[in-house]
């Protein structure tokens, strides 16, 4: 399992939530007061970790949502081809390819150490 359940009222900005099976970082939460016949609602605005798309949802504050489990790991770059890098995990020695984000292209060289995040079967280089 790569996610866990959590109530909407427990969420905070800069934490994570699953929206449309995409792990997202919460950038804004606004809650409305409970009405005469309804319960309080929360509007959550979040940005996808892997696709950078902005998403927003509205849930009752007692509603349970899925929160992704994000693993932060280190790897070494074995080789670089155009916009992809062949990486080797520093703990398991597993080899895999991952796209190099635009801001790291100049610093991504063979032998460099990177931090990557893994969640929901996806990986992304976060720091070189």
């Amino acid at each position: 399992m790569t996610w866990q359940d959590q109530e909407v009222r427990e969420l905070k900005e800069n934490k994570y939530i699953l929206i449309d099976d995409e792990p997202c970082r919460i950038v804004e939460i606004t809650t409305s007061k409970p009405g005469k016949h309804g319960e309080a609602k929360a509007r959550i605005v979040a940005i996808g970790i892997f696709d950078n798309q902005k998403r927003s949802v509205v849930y009752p504050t007692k509603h349970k949502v899925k929160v992704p489990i994000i693993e932060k790991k280190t790897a070494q770059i074995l080789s670089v081809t155009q916009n992809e890098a062949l990486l080797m995990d520093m703990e398991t020695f597993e080899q895999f390819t991952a796209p190099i984000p635009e801001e790291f292209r100049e610093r991504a060289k063979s032998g460099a150490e990177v931090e990557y995040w893994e969640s929901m079967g996806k990986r992304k280089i976060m720091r070189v």
Side-chain angles (χ1 to χ4, degrees):
M1 175 160 55
T2 55
W3 50 267
Q4 60 192 27
D5 285 329
Q6 196 169 358
E7 281 192 14
V8 171
R9 62 190 161 112
E10 298 170 353
L11 296 175
K12 293 178 174 56
E13 287 183 12
N14 293 321
K15 297 293 181 196
Y16 301 95
I17 184 173
L18 274 181
I19 301 176
D20 302 329
D21 286 334
E22 187 67 38
C24 301
R25 185 174 59 83
I26 298 170
V27 292
E28 183 185 351
I29 296 180
T30 51
T31 54
S32 63
K33 293 180 181 173
K36 191 173 179 181
H37 300 289
E39 56 184 298
K41 300 230 181 347
R43 181 173 183 272
I44 301 167
V45 179
I47 296 175
I49 296 171
F50 299 109
D51 61 3
N52 288 324
Q53 280 194 340
K54 193 174 187 178
R55 297 174 170 84
S56 64
V57 288
V58 177
Y59 289 123
T61 53
K62 291 182 181 171
H63 185 77
K64 286 211 182 276
V65 292
K66 294 177 182 171
V67 175
I69 296 170
I70 298 170
E71 296 181 61
K72 298 173 183 177
K73 301 179 179 181
T74 56
Q76 184 176 13
I77 298 177
L78 299 178
S79 66
V80 177
T81 57
Q82 291 180 339
N83 351 0
E84 276 198 334
L86 178 64
L87 303 173
M88 179 179 69
D89 188 285
M90 299 297 264
E91 289 179 23
T92 63
F93 304 110
E94 172 194 2
Q95 293 183 13
F96 58 91
T97 57
I100 304 170
E102 195 70 45
E103 64 266 25
F104 303 133
R105 294 233 168 105
E106 289 181 22
R107 289 185 287 161
K109 308 254 185 287
S110 290
E113 211 169 277
V114 298
E115 178 184 295
Y116 73 95
W117 290 9
E118 184 174 14
S119 180
M120 304 297 291
K122 298 178 184 177
R123 295 177 173 136
K124 182 178 180 181
I125 296 173
M126 299 305 277
R127 193 164 17 126
V128 176

